[in-house]
Amino acid sequence: MTHHTNTNDPYFIDFPGRIKEIQAEMGTRNIDLYLGSRLRTLSWTADAFCPWRSFVVIPAEGLPTVFTFVIDAARVADDSWLGEDNVMGFAPMGGQDQIEQISEFILENLKNGRGRIGVESGMSNYLPEGWLTHYEYSQFQAALSGCELVNAHTIIDKLALIKDEGTINRFREASRIVDVGHQAVFEAIRDGGYKKMTETEIAGIAALAMRRAGSEWEWSFTGGNEIASGYRTGFAGGACTPASRRALQAGEPLMVDIHAMFKLGLGDHSHNYLMAPVTDRQWWHANNFVDIVTKTLETYRADMTPSLIAEKMMGFAEERGFADYMVPGFEHGIGMAGDEWRIGLNDGPFPYWTNPDHVYRENELLICAMQYACPEEGIGFRYENPIIIHSDHCEPLSKFPLGVDEIK
Amino acid sequence: MTRTYPYLSQQWRDEAEKRLSTELPPERMNFVTSSMSNIYRNCPPDGSEKYLFFQFVDGKFVEIQVGTGQPPKAEFSISGDYQTFAKITRGELGAQKALMTMKLKLKGNMVKALKLASLADRLNKVLATIPTEY
């Protein structure tokens, strides 16, 4: 695959360089070997989607080795920059279960079978994060009795924070694909096309268009493409709406939040509609929403923090009289598949939540995310778009025009 | 009367080589290049450890060794009790089942091992035809 070998390929990422950076950081922390288990770590080091329980073992020097469920190991080896000698499959067979196979491999890679092993332990709101479980930790500790297991996930978190050009280009392409999906939905629902359509059908129309444009899957664990119509757009504080079988109806809002994946880069963009006839009150809500999104996008830049953004935006909403409808959060983290939750490092007042005083730096990537919800009126809107932080502005990657469109 | 060969003896090894070369030509071995050690624990009469080592290049058996102690380095090693291997060779126990019940332990790349599973079955079936004294 040229994006693994051709440095001129727009999607090229220097994976051997990443591994060397990890190994250098391991050296400064006296860690002899790193045992990664998070989905984000596997994506970031192996450049392969690992949906089954998987681990990556990074020795102090040399190439990493991925361990995954045997049924998927050959495919992972084919997708990854690592060859088949560095992707092992585990299975419920003597000597081949994940604990024994990985433990023996680790012992062979440590001097005298002893050393400090970095592991990934923590918590997340994102279910498929892949932290080492208590059972796995206990089993590895028993099998590696001469070793000390230490929590070291911040090595990866720190190195993965600022995105390189290849990663950003993968996100750009995923966002372009998402825009294709939005256009397909718009074409399908316009001029009365939405009548008798359900939320699941809208999700499927977007999925087909995005797959045709090259998306690998609708990656979000929140149900793939999230679609909400009518009262479902306005759940209090709600920002998770897997598509239901609810039929779209005249006079109601429609929220389309779709996801595409391109080489583990993630597209995530929401667009909102009002089905005619639209009341003045609905337009008032819609205009509030568009105005605050516009203002937020104008505000993001390096040196801002999540709390500063929230303070400014909630101040604006208060001035305009719609603060009651705003969820007071304006972003979530994003990175290669599996990295979808906290912004920045684990250094805030609440462990494993975004640090409100995290200072954005150039080439950080995040999802600008806003939820406007008025449950009592059954109306709400969502905005999500990957943005790149630049020194004096932010760059939204999805280009589908911002607005709340009326559908006749 | 049919001649029998003591299991894992030099005579048994020679008979194994003769039968494998005749019955498993390179095309039946998928022209594979690999190596494999069977490590037998608790061998009678003294509980010693023995090995059976195979090396094939382009599907041709180029080396078959029996011995005691450390086997030559192989791409795959399968270790287990002498009696477990004996049951497999007599056709009383499947190699897959022995692995899945932890009676045998496989070391090596599982993905590559999957590609060789059917070849190992063929090989075991030929060895099972050798009149053997256990």
Short mmCIF file of all heavy atoms in Angstrom, two decimals, chain B residues 88-115:
data_model
loop_
_atom_site.label_atom_id
_atom_site.label_comp_id
_atom_site.label_asym_id
_atom_site.label_seq_id
_atom_site.Cartn_x
_atom_site.Cartn_y
_atom_site.Cartn_z
N ILE B 88 -2.88 -39.79 19.38
CA ILE B 88 -3.09 -39.13 18.08
C ILE B 88 -2.60 -40.04 16.96
O ILE B 88 -3.29 -40.26 15.97
CB ILE B 88 -2.39 -37.75 18.05
CG1 ILE B 88 -3.10 -36.79 19.01
CG2 ILE B 88 -2.38 -37.17 16.63
CD1 ILE B 88 -2.34 -35.51 19.28
N THR B 89 -1.42 -40.62 17.15
CA THR B 89 -0.84 -41.48 16.11
C THR B 89 -1.70 -42.75 15.92
O THR B 89 -1.81 -43.26 14.81
CB THR B 89 0.60 -41.86 16.48
OG1 THR B 89 1.30 -40.66 16.78
CG2 THR B 89 1.31 -42.54 15.32
N ARG B 90 -2.30 -43.23 17.00
CA ARG B 90 -3.17 -44.42 16.87
C ARG B 90 -4.55 -44.06 16.34
O ARG B 90 -5.39 -44.92 16.16
CB ARG B 90 -3.30 -45.10 18.24
CG ARG B 90 -2.05 -45.80 18.72
CD ARG B 90 -2.35 -46.79 19.84
NE ARG B 90 -2.86 -46.12 21.03
CZ ARG B 90 -2.13 -45.83 22.12
NH1 ARG B 90 -0.86 -46.16 22.16
NH2 ARG B 90 -2.69 -45.22 23.15
N GLY B 91 -4.79 -42.77 16.15
CA GLY B 91 -6.10 -42.34 15.64
C GLY B 91 -7.17 -42.30 16.71
O GLY B 91 -8.37 -42.23 16.40
N GLU B 92 -6.77 -42.31 17.97
CA GLU B 92 -7.77 -42.31 19.06
C GLU B 92 -8.13 -40.89 19.50
O GLU B 92 -9.09 -40.68 20.22
CB GLU B 92 -7.22 -43.07 20.27
CG GLU B 92 -6.96 -44.54 19.99
CD GLU B 92 -6.09 -45.20 21.06
OE1 GLU B 92 -5.85 -44.59 22.13
OE2 GLU B 92 -5.64 -46.32 20.80
N LEU B 93 -7.33 -39.91 19.09
CA LEU B 93 -7.55 -38.52 19.50
C LEU B 93 -7.16 -37.61 18.34
O LEU B 93 -6.10 -37.82 17.72
CB LEU B 93 -6.68 -38.21 20.73
CG LEU B 93 -6.66 -36.77 21.25
CD1 LEU B 93 -8.03 -36.38 21.83
CD2 LEU B 93 -5.59 -36.60 22.34
N GLY B 94 -8.01 -36.63 18.04
CA GLY B 94 -7.69 -35.68 16.97
C GLY B 94 -6.70 -34.65 17.47
O GLY B 94 -6.76 -34.23 18.64
N ALA B 95 -5.81 -34.21 16.59
CA ALA B 95 -4.81 -33.21 16.99
C ALA B 95 -5.50 -31.90 17.37
O ALA B 95 -5.11 -31.23 18.33
CB ALA B 95 -3.83 -32.98 15.86
N GLN B 96 -6.54 -31.53 16.63
CA GLN B 96 -7.28 -30.28 16.93
C GLN B 96 -7.86 -30.34 18.34
O GLN B 96 -7.76 -29.39 19.11
CB GLN B 96 -8.43 -30.09 15.93
CG GLN B 96 -7.99 -29.77 14.53
CD GLN B 96 -7.45 -28.36 14.39
OE1 GLN B 96 -7.85 -27.47 15.12
NE2 GLN B 96 -6.52 -28.16 13.48
N LYS B 97 -8.50 -31.49 18.64
CA LYS B 97 -9.12 -31.61 19.96
C LYS B 97 -8.05 -31.56 21.05
O LYS B 97 -8.26 -30.95 22.11
CB LYS B 97 -9.93 -32.90 20.05
CG LYS B 97 -10.74 -32.97 21.31
CD LYS B 97 -11.70 -34.11 21.36
CE LYS B 97 -12.43 -34.07 22.71
NZ LYS B 97 -13.27 -35.23 22.91
N ALA B 98 -6.93 -32.19 20.79
CA ALA B 98 -5.85 -32.18 21.78
C ALA B 98 -5.37 -30.75 22.04
O ALA B 98 -5.10 -30.36 23.18
CB ALA B 98 -4.70 -33.04 21.30
N LEU B 99 -5.33 -29.93 20.98
CA LEU B 99 -4.92 -28.53 21.15
C LEU B 99 -6.00 -27.75 21.89
O LEU B 99 -5.71 -26.93 22.77
CB LEU B 99 -4.67 -27.89 19.78
CG LEU B 99 -3.31 -28.19 19.14
CD1 LEU B 99 -3.34 -27.84 17.66
CD2 LEU B 99 -2.20 -27.42 19.84
N MET B 100 -7.25 -28.01 21.54
CA MET B 100 -8.35 -27.22 22.14
C MET B 100 -8.63 -27.60 23.59
O MET B 100 -9.31 -26.87 24.29
CB MET B 100 -9.61 -27.37 21.28
CG MET B 100 -9.43 -26.69 19.93
SD MET B 100 -10.74 -27.08 18.79
CE MET B 100 -11.85 -25.75 19.15
N THR B 101 -8.12 -28.76 24.01
CA THR B 101 -8.31 -29.15 25.41
C THR B 101 -6.99 -29.01 26.20
O THR B 101 -6.88 -29.53 27.30
CB THR B 101 -8.81 -30.60 25.50
OG1 THR B 101 -7.95 -31.43 24.71
CG2 THR B 101 -10.24 -30.72 24.97
N MET B 102 -6.05 -28.31 25.60
CA MET B 102 -4.76 -28.01 26.22
C MET B 102 -3.92 -29.25 26.51
O MET B 102 -3.01 -29.21 27.33
CB MET B 102 -4.93 -27.17 27.50
CG MET B 102 -5.53 -25.80 27.20
SD MET B 102 -5.80 -24.82 28.65
CE MET B 102 -4.16 -24.24 28.99
N LYS B 103 -4.24 -30.35 25.83
CA LYS B 103 -3.39 -31.54 25.99
C LYS B 103 -2.10 -31.35 25.18
O LYS B 103 -1.07 -31.93 25.47
CB LYS B 103 -4.14 -32.78 25.52
CG LYS B 103 -5.26 -33.20 26.49
CD LYS B 103 -5.86 -34.54 26.08
CE LYS B 103 -6.74 -35.10 27.16
NZ LYS B 103 -7.99 -34.35 27.31
N LEU B 104 -2.21 -30.54 24.14
CA LEU B 104 -1.03 -30.16 23.36
C LEU B 104 -0.88 -28.65 23.40
O LEU B 104 -1.89 -27.93 23.49
CB LEU B 104 -1.17 -30.60 21.90
CG LEU B 104 -1.08 -32.08 21.56
CD1 LEU B 104 -1.21 -32.27 20.06
CD2 LEU B 104 0.22 -32.70 22.08
N LYS B 105 0.35 -28.21 23.28
CA LYS B 105 0.62 -26.77 23.29
C LYS B 105 1.40 -26.42 22.02
O LYS B 105 2.43 -27.05 21.73
CB LYS B 105 1.45 -26.46 24.53
CG LYS B 105 1.72 -25.02 24.76
CD LYS B 105 2.33 -24.85 26.13
CE LYS B 105 3.13 -23.58 26.18
NZ LYS B 105 3.73 -23.35 27.49
N LEU B 106 0.88 -25.47 21.29
CA LEU B 106 1.51 -25.06 20.04
C LEU B 106 2.27 -23.75 20.26
O LEU B 106 1.73 -22.82 20.87
CB LEU B 106 0.43 -24.86 18.97
CG LEU B 106 0.86 -24.18 17.66
CD1 LEU B 106 1.77 -25.10 16.85
CD2 LEU B 106 -0.36 -23.79 16.83
N LYS B 107 3.46 -23.68 19.74
CA LYS B 107 4.21 -22.43 19.78
C LYS B 107 4.58 -22.05 18.35
O LYS B 107 5.07 -22.89 17.60
CB LYS B 107 5.47 -22.60 20.64
CG LYS B 107 5.96 -21.29 21.16
CD LYS B 107 6.96 -21.44 22.26
CE LYS B 107 7.46 -20.04 22.61
NZ LYS B 107 8.65 -20.08 23.40
N GLY B 108 4.29 -20.79 18.00
CA GLY B 108 4.56 -20.34 16.63
C GLY B 108 3.40 -19.48 16.17
O GLY B 108 2.41 -19.33 16.88
N ASN B 109 3.53 -18.94 14.98
CA ASN B 109 2.52 -18.01 14.48
C ASN B 109 1.26 -18.79 14.08
O ASN B 109 1.26 -19.58 13.16
CB ASN B 109 3.09 -17.28 13.26
CG ASN B 109 2.18 -16.17 12.78
OD1 ASN B 109 0.97 -16.32 12.77
ND2 ASN B 109 2.76 -15.07 12.38
N MET B 110 0.19 -18.54 14.84
CA MET B 110 -1.07 -19.28 14.66
C MET B 110 -1.65 -19.11 13.26
O MET B 110 -2.25 -20.03 12.70
CB MET B 110 -2.05 -18.75 15.71
CG MET B 110 -3.37 -19.43 15.75
SD MET B 110 -3.20 -21.05 16.51
CE MET B 110 -4.69 -21.80 15.91
N VAL B 111 -1.48 -17.92 12.70
CA VAL B 111 -2.05 -17.67 11.37
C VAL B 111 -1.36 -18.56 10.34
O VAL B 111 -2.00 -19.20 9.51
CB VAL B 111 -1.89 -16.19 10.98
CG1 VAL B 111 -2.49 -15.92 9.62
CG2 VAL B 111 -2.54 -15.30 12.02
N LYS B 112 -0.04 -18.67 10.46
CA LYS B 112 0.70 -19.55 9.55
C LYS B 112 0.36 -21.01 9.85
O LYS B 112 0.26 -21.83 8.94
CB LYS B 112 2.20 -19.33 9.69
CG LYS B 112 2.65 -17.98 9.16
CD LYS B 112 4.16 -17.88 9.26
CE LYS B 112 4.64 -16.53 8.78
NZ LYS B 112 6.09 -16.37 8.97
N ALA B 113 0.17 -21.31 11.15
CA ALA B 113 -0.14 -22.69 11.53
C ALA B 113 -1.47 -23.13 10.91
O ALA B 113 -1.61 -24.29 10.51
CB ALA B 113 -0.21 -22.80 13.05
N LEU B 114 -2.43 -22.19 10.81
CA LEU B 114 -3.72 -22.55 10.21
C LEU B 114 -3.54 -23.03 8.78
O LEU B 114 -4.22 -23.94 8.33
CB LEU B 114 -4.66 -21.34 10.23
CG LEU B 114 -5.32 -20.99 11.56
CD1 LEU B 114 -6.17 -19.75 11.41
CD2 LEU B 114 -6.16 -22.15 12.07
N LYS B 115 -2.61 -22.39 8.08
CA LYS B 115 -2.38 -22.78 6.68
C LYS B 115 -1.79 -24.19 6.59
O LYS B 115 -1.86 -24.84 5.56
CB LYS B 115 -1.40 -21.79 6.01
CG LYS B 115 -1.95 -20.38 5.88
CD LYS B 115 -0.88 -19.51 5.22
CE LYS B 115 -1.18 -18.04 5.42
NZ LYS B 115 -0.03 -17.19 5.11
#
